[in-house]
Amino acid sequence: MTTEIIEKSFDVSTPAELVVKNIRGKTTVRPGTADVIQVKATMHMDDGDPDLTELSITKDADGRVKVFVHMPETYFGIRHRKPLRIDFDIQAPVQTNITAKVVSGSLDISGFDGRMDLNTVSGPMLVKDLSGDLDLDTVSGRIEGRHLSGPAHISVVSGRIDVQECDFPTLSAKTVSGKAKVQTRLGEGPYRITTVSGSSWLVVPQGSNCQVEASAVSGRFYTDLDVTRSKSTKRSWSVQLGDGGVPIRMKAVSGKMHLLSSFEAHGQEPGTIEMSSTKRNEILNNLSEGNISVEEAIQAFES
């Protein structure tokens, strides 16, 4: 196997700005030296056509480091030929805003505090220990994440979403064909999970307070959490957990929707509940102990 390696280094300010576009190959980004972005490009000369490959590694006038692989415009539309496979190993300061797009290959990023706009067409996206605004999209692949925090938009056309041990104050997650598995603490919300063909799991801490609106053309809604109130029809469920408040919206055309305390839990479909026995006893105990007035107890029962 014949390879050529190109290495470049750029001094940057904080927060740094990194833009990566790769057609074929692995793209890995990790924290490195403060105020420096280092790029190593490994070009696989016997895997693809050098004539269809243009590589540029530059820093523009605004301080953005750009790592781009292009195909010459005159070669677009030629079949059975492809550009070289190029693997990028990039190190950047912890505080870096990253925009990355990979057409065919993997994208592996971890350990950063900044805005993330990440996209793959065909290939896995692996993200870990990221904090900031998160926009994660793939067409045909999977998104796997651990320890992510910040407002998040996650979208998959054909593949799956699997993000765990996260802290999303707001979330929008969508799949067209595939599964969506999300584990997060709840913030202000809203939280929206939509699947067209496939099931979804939203795992939140036991004792969470939220108001859930779920609907499906062909599917069911399940939960193992403390339901205080619920109403349901054949295709929709309105469920209050705990004291309610944080809005959660789950939608499916065809598939099951789960709101659970863990991925191992087995929920059940809630029926019509005016008020849970736990909540009713809590109100009565507070009344008998003099913690609330009769008027406050009546208001609590009616709310």
Side-chain angles (χ1 to χ4, degrees), residues 167-208:
D167 188 1
F168 299 135
T170 64
L171 170 69
S172 173
K174 299 178 181 180
T175 68
V176 174
S177 176
K179 297 179 179 180
K181 300 175 69 175
V182 177
Q183 181 183 36
T184 181
R185 289 184 290 182
L186 295 182
E188 294 182 0
Y191 295 83
R192 297 184 176 91
I193 297 183
T194 304
T195 61
V196 175
S197 176
S199 298
S200 62
W201 288 259
L202 178 59
V203 173
V204 300
Q206 187 70 260
S208 294

Side-chain angles (χ1 to χ4, degrees), residues 205-241:
Q206 187 70 260
S208 294
N209 299 309
C210 52
Q211 179 64 41
V212 186
E213 303 296 331
S215 61
V217 175
S218 175
R220 287 290 183 267
F221 172 77
Y222 303 94
T223 185
D224 72 322
L225 298 171
D226 181 27
V227 177
T228 51
R229 294 180 187 272
S230 72
K231 294 186 296 182
S232 64
T233 67
K234 185 176 180 180
R235 296 181 178 178
S236 66
W237 299 260
S238 180
V239 179
Q240 177 180 308
L241 301 180

